[in-house]
Amino acid sequence: MAKQIGLLRFTGKLGNIIGYRRNGNYFVRTMPEAVRQTAATRQASRNFGVASRKGKLIRRAIVPELHIHHDGSLVNRLNKALIQTNSESLRGIEGFRINRHTGTEQFFSQQPVVSQRGVVRIPAQTLPSQENFSHLEITVTAVRISFKERRITGRSSTTATINLNQPFSGMELDTATPGKGMLLIILQVRSFKGTDATANRRFFAADIMAVLPPASTKQKRFKANGVPDVRKLLSLQPETHNGIPRPKHPEVQRQRE
């Protein structure tokens, strides 16, 4: 590693030299002549690539729907969470914080629950003190993502408010989002004083509450006219009835011959 001290400093690749910046200073290093990878490092590289692609798609789906700030650590934190979770179900990213400083659990003594069809239910409860804020804005966003096709197939959101000066009797927020792919449910909470939303990162949050699998599309097969295949039904009948041989349907007989 060598420090750049000239007037013209650069970052990036120049021949076999790489320039980069660290803590406000510029350095250069040479590229290695060869990179040797073990089976483990190759697998880790593939896992990182898969996580990066999924993370980018998730951020594209979620971030435009949010009304809170997030820091520069979001990309790396989400990629790390995706690497550590099951690549098929992605259940490991449930509870992931968009704002790493505060989670939605800070705002509720009894935590919200998500039904299998994506309805978020917040139980009636005595809410924790939120200093001198007047109300909470609750937004549930649902995004549907087809990772196989690498595209966002649906978005929807719904918003409600909780008056902090009155008893809270509970609420349900439904964001029906038809389409292909997994359904991600994001709960966002912002604290307000009158009409002003707080900018204090300790008083706003957005978490991935649930990752729901795609809706099943399996259906029982029927013939084109909607009637089950008679030949298959007859082929399942016993050979005799009360000791008397059962007559065979001509189609079944031909199949057995």
Side-chain angles (χ1 to χ4, degrees), residues 234 239 245-253 256:
L234 289 173
E239 298 289 338
R246 185 186 297 274
K248 295 182 175 59
H249 190 278
E251 292 291 341
V252 177
Q253 181 65 33
R256 291 179 175 175

Side-chain angles (χ1 to χ4, degrees), residues 20-32:
Y20 59 99
R21 182 179 178 181
R22 178 183 295 173
N23 298 326
N25 296 312
Y26 290 82
F27 302 90
V28 294
R29 61 181 175 85
T30 58
M31 294 180 60

Side-chain angles (χ1 to χ4, degrees), residues 187-205:
L187 176 63
Q188 176 185 273
V189 182
R190 292 198 296 168
S191 301
F192 277 74
K193 293 179 181 178
T195 59
D196 298 323
T198 181
N200 188 330
R201 62 191 182 187
R202 295 188 299 114
F203 295 102
F204 59 75

Side-chain angles (χ1 to χ4, degrees), residues 44 47 61 94 100 124 194 198 206 243:
N47 292 344
E94 291 182 347
R100 65 187 176 94
T198 181

Side-chain angles (χ1 to χ4, degrees), residues 17-239:
I17 302 296
I18 298 175
Y20 59 99
R21 182 179 178 181
R22 178 183 295 173
N23 298 326
N25 296 312
Y26 290 82
F27 302 90
V28 294
R29 61 181 175 85
T30 58
M31 294 180 60
E33 294 183 0
V35 178
R36 296 181 179 179
Q37 287 189 320
T38 64
T41 57
R42 285 194 295 271
Q43 183 60 50
S45 178
R46 285 193 291 269
N47 292 344
F48 179 78
V50 171
S52 296
R53 289 191 294 273
K54 289 185 175 181
K56 182 178 180 180
L57 200 53
I58 291 173
R59 294 194 307 275
R60 281 179 49 204
I62 292 176
V63 171
E65 305 297 319
L66 300 178
H67 299 93
I68 69 166
H69 302 292
H70 58 84
D71 56 39
S73 70
L74 176 61
V75 174
N76 290 335
R77 289 190 297 112
L78 182 56
N79 287 349
K80 182 178 179 181
L82 287 166
I83 290 172
Q84 294 175 343
T85 191
N86 183 299
S87 61
E88 296 299 325
S89 70
L90 300 187
R91 295 294 299 274
I93 64 171
E94 291 182 347
F96 179 84
R97 293 180 175 182
I98 307 299
N99 170 25
R100 65 187 176 94
H101 301 283
T102 307
T104 57
E105 71 275 3
Q106 172 178 312
F107 301 93
F108 306 105
S109 55
Q110 297 182 50
Q111 297 308 303
V113 293
V114 183
S115 73
Q116 285 301 310
R117 66 183 189 89
V119 177
V120 177
R121 178 178 174 273
I122 305 176
Q125 58 190 279
T126 300
L127 298 172
S129 174
Q130 300 296 330
E131 295 192 354
N132 59 345
F133 293 107
S134 60
H135 65 277
L136 299 177
E137 178 194 76
I138 311 297
T139 302
V140 174
T141 298
V143 295
R144 197 172 284 281
I145 303 174
S146 172
F147 291 102
K148 183 178 181 180
E149 299 177 0
R150 298 185 184 180
R151 66 187 184 96
I152 302 160
T153 61
R155 286 192 184 99
S156 63
S157 65
T158 183
T159 299
T161 59
I162 298 176
N163 189 332
L164 295 175
N165 297 315
Q166 297 178 359
F168 176 60
S169 57
M171 66 171 53
E172 286 189 355
L173 297 98
D174 187 0
T175 52
T177 309
K180 299 170 62 177
M182 286 187 176
L183 185 65
L184 278 66
I185 307 293
I186 301 91
L187 176 63
Q188 176 185 273
V189 182
R190 292 198 296 168
S191 301
F192 277 74
K193 293 179 181 178
T195 59
D196 298 323
T198 181
N200 188 330
R201 62 191 182 187
R202 295 188 299 114
F203 295 102
F204 59 75
D207 297 351
I208 298 176
M209 295 294 295
V211 181
L212 304 178
S216 176
T217 57
K218 292 183 178 180
Q219 298 180 351
K220 188 174 182 180
R221 292 187 177 181
F222 289 89
K223 295 186 68 176
N225 59 5
V227 179
D229 192 327
V230 176
R231 289 174 298 177
K232 292 182 179 179
L233 295 178
L234 289 173
S235 65
L236 299 177
Q237 291 183 337
E239 298 289 338

Side-chain angles (χ1 to χ4, degrees), residues 3-11 26:
K3 188 174 182 180
Q4 300 182 46
I5 59 175
L7 295 177
L8 299 177
R9 291 170 290 183
F10 73 98
T11 60
Y26 290 82

